[in-house]
Amino acid sequence: MATGETGFDDVTFDLISLQYHSLKAGHDYGQYVRDARNAGKEDIAAFFESVMAEDSQRAQKCHEFLSELTKDGTSATAPQA
C-alpha cells in the first residue's frame, strides 16, 4: 500500500479525512437547523437534519472501516520520532 507523507497509508488517511470532515460538517449543520427553525422554515430545517444524518452515517462507516484496517494490521503506523 502506498504510504503518504504522514506515515499512514493513503486509504487510512482518506478514511480519517472523510470521517473528520463528515463530523465537522455535522456539527456545522446543527447551526443551519437552528437558523432555519428561527426563520420559520421547518421544511429547510428537516432537509438540514437529513443531510446531518447522512454525514453521521458516513462518519460511522469510516469508523467501521478504520476498525477493520486496524484489526487486520493493514494500516501503517505513524513514523517514530
Side-chain angles (χ1 to χ4, degrees):
M1 246 185 251
T3 301
E5 294 176 15
T6 63
F8 289 91
D9 67 83
D10 292 340
V11 172
T12 300
F13 181 86
D14 295 345
L15 285 167
I16 291 169
S17 180
L18 181 60
Q19 184 178 42
Y20 168 79
H21 289 290
S22 294
L23 292 170
K24 174 72 171 96
H27 178 268
D28 294 342
Y29 297 152
Q31 182 62 51
Y32 303 167
V33 170
R34 287 188 294 278
D35 290 346
R37 288 217 167 99
N38 288 339
K41 303 293 184 183
E42 191 58 38
D43 57 335
I44 296 173
F47 167 71
F48 287 140
E49 287 177 324
S50 172
V51 172
M52 187 171 21
E54 291 169 4
D55 267 328
S56 179
Q57 291 170 350
R58 264 188 285 283
Q60 179 60 39
K61 191 63 177 176
C62 287
H63 182 75
E64 292 167 11
F65 282 133
L66 288 165
S67 293
E68 288 175 21
L69 288 174
T70 302
K71 181 175 28 175
D72 294 342
T74 56
S75 176
T77 57
Q80 300 297 317

